[in-house]
Amino acid sequence: MSEALSLHIMIAGRERFASAYCGPLHLLIAHEHLSRRRGLTSIEGLPDSTRENLAQTLTFVPPGHEFREWHDPDNTAHITYIYIDPSATAQPARRDIVVHPLLPRLHFHSSVLWQTVLKVKTLVDGEGARSAHFGNALGIVLAHELVHNEHGVRHREGSDRGGLAAWQRRLVAQHVEEHLAERLPVSRLAKLARLSRYHFSRSFRRSFGLSPHRYHLHRRAERAKTLLVNQALLVTDIALDLGFLDTSSFSTTFRKLVGRTPTDYRRSLPPGKA
């Protein structure tokens, strides 16, 4: 609809549906109406979400991050997908804002962003292509609001009862996802969070319920589950891709975390998923 943004509106019934994205644009998803009996939402860099009531929540996917979700909805779903040119977020609205790379966010609330999303949706429903200039302006406004919202999250959200601050959780989780096949020293993650190793380890466990090492192993196991769905991939190749020295060590670790070997897990998948 404009150079700054494009929009897609999905209206679905109670049948199961899924969507996925990984591309060069920002993706902002507005769940106007969506309650699901079952489902899963995943963004590379964040823990998966199985939250059931998604009404009036927003999800943000930065460029290059893999996004996927599936839903078994309880009611008719109304979802708006807005694709934003990253160049629109390159310059913040105020010079005192330091622009960091925008991080992925799952199922969050922002009244300011929500109102702008509704304006974009109303524009498409009413004026359409005749309001290209207004649409372009709204796209830039929306992009700037994303920058300011991220800035507010980083600076307003403090640590949660001794745990990591929200911006630290997202940054560390993203780094883990991007380096699953590598050895991740705690000192590296602590430096990323700007904390001492001791303070970071204690805060990390409070936030994630696991030590950094155990969390890394669990995320590798979850990635392995995703890869095992593809029957064309050999277990040995999956092991090597995830940084294991051999199939034996991979199988041992996977069985400890999942309760069965990679081969047994693959055999247990429903026919449609295997």
Side-chain angles (χ1 to χ4, degrees):
M1 72 181 265
S2 72
E3 294 180 0
L5 82 165
S6 59
L7 179 144
H8 170 69
I9 298 174
M10 174 185 289
I11 300 177
R14 296 190 175 187
E15 297 79 17
R16 174 171 171 163
F17 68 93
S19 61
Y21 175 76
C22 184
L25 304 176
H26 295 302
L27 171 60
L28 181 65
I29 306 169
H31 298 95
E32 189 171 354
H33 300 291
L34 178 57
S35 176
R36 58 189 184 185
R37 297 183 297 274
R38 295 185 305 152
L40 180 115
T41 307
S42 172
I43 302 180
E44 183 179 359
L46 294 179
D48 295 345
S49 171
T50 57
R51 178 173 173 171
E52 294 178 351
N53 184 9
L54 304 182
Q56 296 193 355
T57 63
L58 297 163
T59 289
F60 177 70
V61 186
H65 284 67
E66 184 178 354
F67 164 81
R68 56 187 174 85
E69 64 178 353
W70 64 269
H71 312 281
D72 278 337
D74 275 330
N75 49 24
T76 301
H78 294 255
I79 307 173
T80 301
Y81 299 84
I82 302 177
Y83 301 88
I84 306 167
D85 188 337
S87 64
T89 62
Q91 297 296 326
R94 297 202 329 250
R95 292 186 177 181
D96 61 330
I97 297 291
V98 177
V99 180
H100 301 275
L102 295 180
L103 300 176
R105 299 182 67 187
L106 260 178
H107 305 154
F108 67 98
H109 295 273
S110 169
S111 58
V112 175
L113 277 171
W114 188 262
Q115 290 304 315
T116 306
V117 168
L118 292 181
K119 290 178 183 178
V120 173
K121 186 171 178 289
T122 300
L123 174 68
V124 173
D125 291 341
E127 300 294 333
R130 292 180 297 172
S131 297
H133 292 298
F134 185 38
N136 190 64
L138 274 180
I140 294 174
V141 168
L142 190 61
H144 285 179
E145 287 176 354
L146 281 167
V147 172
H148 285 284
N149 188 267
E150 176 71 19
H151 172 81
V153 168
R154 286 175 182 265
H155 290 80
R156 286 196 304 269
E157 290 185 357
S159 59
D160 180 14
R161 295 184 181 180
L164 298 173
W167 71 266
Q168 292 170 318
R169 293 196 300 269
R170 290 195 300 273
L171 199 62
V172 169
Q174 177 181 344
H175 190 80
V176 170
E177 293 298 318
E178 292 174 350
H179 299 85
L180 287 179
E182 302 174 21
R183 179 178 172 272
L184 281 181
V186 174
S187 57
R188 188 203 301 183
L189 298 177
K191 183 177 180 180
L192 201 64
R194 302 177 187 176
L195 296 172
S196 69
R197 176 171 176 166
Y198 171 76
H199 188 188
F200 171 78
S201 296
R202 185 176 61 179
S203 299
F204 186 97
R205 185 181 288 275
R206 285 183 178 271
S207 293
F208 290 91
L210 298 167
S211 69
H213 175 67
R214 292 289 296 178
Y215 177 80
H216 185 215
L217 287 178
H218 274 274
R219 294 310 303 160
R220 291 169 89 184
E222 290 302 313
R223 179 67 62 84
K225 288 180 182 179
T226 302
L227 297 174
L228 286 166
V229 172
N230 186 349
Q231 290 281 7
L233 294 177
L234 299 176
V235 172
T236 300
D237 293 336
I238 294 175
L240 295 177
D241 286 344
L242 289 174
F244 290 92
L245 296 178
D246 51 48
T247 306
S248 177
S249 59
F250 169 55
S251 296
T252 300
T253 301
F254 189 90
R255 184 175 59 185
K256 286 180 179 179
L257 297 173
V258 180
R260 61 185 71 187
T261 66
T263 301
D264 287 340
Y265 176 82
R266 173 175 273 173
R267 289 172 180 163
S268 71
L269 295 172
K273 286 193 173 184

